[in-house]
Amino acid sequence: MGEQALRQAFVAALPDRIVGLEMAYENWRLAQQDEPQVLEEFYRLSHNLAGAAALYGFEQVSAPCRVLECYLLEMMRSADDPHTDVCSSDCLGHLVAAIRCVARQLNGYGKGGESGSGPSGDVGVKGGGLFSSPQN
């Protein structure tokens, strides 16, 4: 499989990865510190998405994922210290929403869209983005 095909496969799988990240956030928000494995799963998903996006040249997705990953890592490290407040639930929610918004812009990747924003200038932004919901 060529580089272009791999990038297209990454973009095609991106909506499911974003949904997984959003679900991990919701699971963490509901569980909070009661279940450390929920935080670890949230971290793992953000870490994997950050790395994969960077690998395929999508820094606009990777960068906010890395910020989220850093917050989650610090939260895991300070889980035993009740006086440490690394990041609020709202802050993490905003980061996840930002990742979703940026990922939407990759719709049409490799299809010769209007505006180049990808690693080689061939990512077109077409109406509505990756997700069809009107919220963001």
Side-chain angles (χ1 to χ4, degrees):
M1 188 179 279
E3 185 177 335
Q4 183 74 6
L6 289 171
R7 288 181 179 160
Q8 289 173 339
F10 170 78
V11 170
L14 196 52
D16 289 336
R17 292 180 92 158
I18 298 297
V19 167
L21 191 65
E22 290 173 328
M23 288 174 54
Y25 164 71
E26 282 301 315
N27 290 340
W28 169 81
R29 192 179 63 77
L30 295 172
Q32 288 292 321
Q33 295 182 358
D34 297 335
E35 300 176 42
Q37 69 274 14
V38 174
L39 179 59
E40 291 169 10
E41 176 68 7
F42 190 14
Y43 168 80
R44 185 188 64 78
L45 291 172
S46 66
H47 172 80
N48 290 348
L49 183 54
L55 177 68
Y56 294 115
F58 297 108
E59 188 59 31
Q60 68 271 40
V61 175
S62 181
C65 286
R66 289 276 181 228
V67 172
L68 177 60
E69 176 188 10
C70 288
Y71 278 125
L72 296 174
L73 182 60
E74 188 59 32
M75 289 171 76
M76 289 188 315
R77 288 181 178 159
S78 64
D80 295 331
D81 184 357
H83 302 295
T84 303
D85 187 18
V86 175
C87 188
S88 72
S89 177
D90 287 344
C91 176
L92 296 178
H94 289 301
L95 278 168
V96 171
I99 293 164
R100 179 182 356 101
C101 289
V102 171
R104 281 182 171 178
Q105 297 174 8
L106 297 179
N107 192 19
Y109 177 70
K111 296 178 184 169
E114 298 121 22
S115 64
S117 61
S120 58
D122 58 351
V123 176
V125 177
K126 294 190 175 183
L130 287 172
F131 312 101
S132 58
S133 67
Q135 287 94 341
N136 289 337

